[in-house]
Every structure is written in structure tokens, then in C-alpha cells.
Amino acid sequence: DTRPLPPWYDSSKNGIMICWGIYSVPSYGNEWFWNAWQSTHNPNYVKFMEDNFKPNFTYQDFAAEFTAEFYNPDEWARMFAASGARYTVFVAKHHEGYTMWPSTFSWNWNSVDVGPRRDLFGDLAKAIRSTAPHIHVGVYHSLFEWYNPLYLEDKSQQYMSNNFVTRKTLPELYELVNNYHPEVIWSDGDWEAEDWYWNSTIFFAW
């Protein structure tokens, strides 16, 4: 709390948040697609799947169809610059757990192992820094994952265990900072547990 707010952040009134991922394949509803379909069983989502996909189709099956074949991060960077934006926040992992970078801690559920076969966040960060270096690169990262067995086990223990945090959440955050040097971390998905479960202050201090 004693650290001053970076002057660029206070003066940069326009930014762009990029919410893009496997949920873009069905392109129905929003990034909460998997939860609405499988957890709350929203009838609209259930009917959408019944009408458009074969029986036993899983959310994971969308990953192979997430090809990003038209993705041109240099073009994105030029468009961001033309818009007047001064920072970006890229959703590198939403609550589904799929990482948009080749995370060591998300084996076979990341953009290099399945889907586009490329580092989507890394390519954009590189493009922005080379094409529009006045734009600050930020990242969104979900702390929790809806269906991760480690998280569900911690939750069943009333968060008295934190294997998910020590083996998944924090290692991913360290990886993002060390490999990509974001200037903003938009952290989300904390509301089911207290800050002590997430080791938030330990990460801040680091």
C-alpha cells in the first residue's frame, strides 16, 4: 500500500481488455459457457449443444477447433495504437483453466499443446512492444478453476489445504511475470476463498 501508483497508469484513461479463448469456438453466450452448460445447466446452453453438436461432445473437444488461424498480433498492435489505447489486458487464463501461453503447469490444456499450437499471449506481448512500445502490456489471470481436481479438493477441505494454490495458481503467476513481464496483473476468481488461501500477500511481496 505504500508504493505509489505508476504515473502512466493514472494518466492512461483508455485501455483494451481482450477476452478470447476456447469459449470463442461455440461463440454462444460468453466466457462462462462451460459453467452455464455443465454447472447451472442453463436450458438455453443445453439446447444449443443438443442442436449443434453430437451427443457426448465435451467442452474439451472445442479446444482442437480453437485454431486461431487468422490471428495476426502485429495487426492487433497497430489497431490498438490507432485506437488511442495506452494499455492492454489479455485474458491469459479464465476460470476454465486453459492457458493462452505454454504453461508448464497446465499440461495439455494450453494454447501450444492443443488448439492454435502457438504462444498467443507471448506473440501479442512481443508485437505490442515492437510495434507500439508506448502501450503497456497487461494480463488477466483467474486464480481459481471451476473443475480443477486440486481446487475442488481444497474446497472440500474448507480451504484448510492449498495444494491448488501452491501447485497451480502461484506457479502460473510467477511464470507469467518472469517470462512476459506484464505491467498490470488483473487478478480474478478469488471470491470463493479468503486472501490467506490464495497467499496473496506473499505474491505481492515477491
Side-chain angles (χ1 to χ4, degrees), residues 24-191:
S24 303
V25 174
S27 295
Y28 185 85
N30 56 32
E31 65 274 14
W32 281 67
F33 182 95
W34 194 6
N35 183 269
W37 172 35
Q38 294 292 336
S39 290
T40 63
H41 304 290
N42 182 304
N44 295 326
Y45 287 76
V46 172
K47 186 176 188 305
F48 172 81
M49 291 303 298
E50 291 174 348
D51 289 348
N52 294 285
F53 296 91
K54 63 186 179 183
N56 302 317
F57 191 94
T58 69
Y59 185 81
Q60 287 83 347
D61 290 331
F62 284 128
E65 299 179 24
F66 180 49
T67 58
E69 69 268 31
F70 300 117
Y71 180 44
N72 185 335
D74 291 320
E75 183 180 10
W76 284 29
R78 289 191 292 270
M79 182 170 55
F80 297 162
S83 76
R86 290 297 177 264
Y87 67 95
T88 63
V89 175
F90 185 89
V91 177
K93 187 190 81 168
H94 200 257
H95 310 324
E96 63 188 353
Y98 181 87
T99 64
M100 302 282 274
W101 81 96
S103 177
T104 306
F105 308 97
S106 191
W107 179 80
N108 211 34
W109 194 231
N110 67 70
S111 63
V112 169
D113 286 348
V114 59
R117 305 289 179 179
R118 64 187 291 187
D119 183 350
L120 299 176
F121 175 52
D123 289 350
L124 181 62
K126 186 184 303 180
I128 290 173
R129 286 168 176 150
S130 62
T131 304
H134 62 286
I135 295 179
H136 300 268
V137 174
V139 66
Y140 166 108
H141 176 269
S142 173
L143 295 174
F144 88 138
E145 297 176 15
W146 287 315
Y147 308 116
N148 189 295
L150 289 173
Y151 178 71
L152 295 176
E153 176 61 24
D154 286 349
K155 187 175 181 178
S156 73
Q157 300 295 323
Q158 287 74 53
Y159 302 106
M160 290 298 104
S161 62
N162 71 341
N163 289 320
F164 176 73
V165 173
T166 58
R167 294 168 58 183
K168 190 75 163 64
T169 302
L170 285 178
E172 284 180 345
L173 283 167
Y174 293 141
E175 190 175 54
L176 282 169
V177 171
N178 286 326
N179 292 350
Y180 303 103
H181 313 289
E183 294 181 72
V184 175
I185 297 177
W186 183 307
S187 193
D188 190 19
D190 62 304
W191 59 84

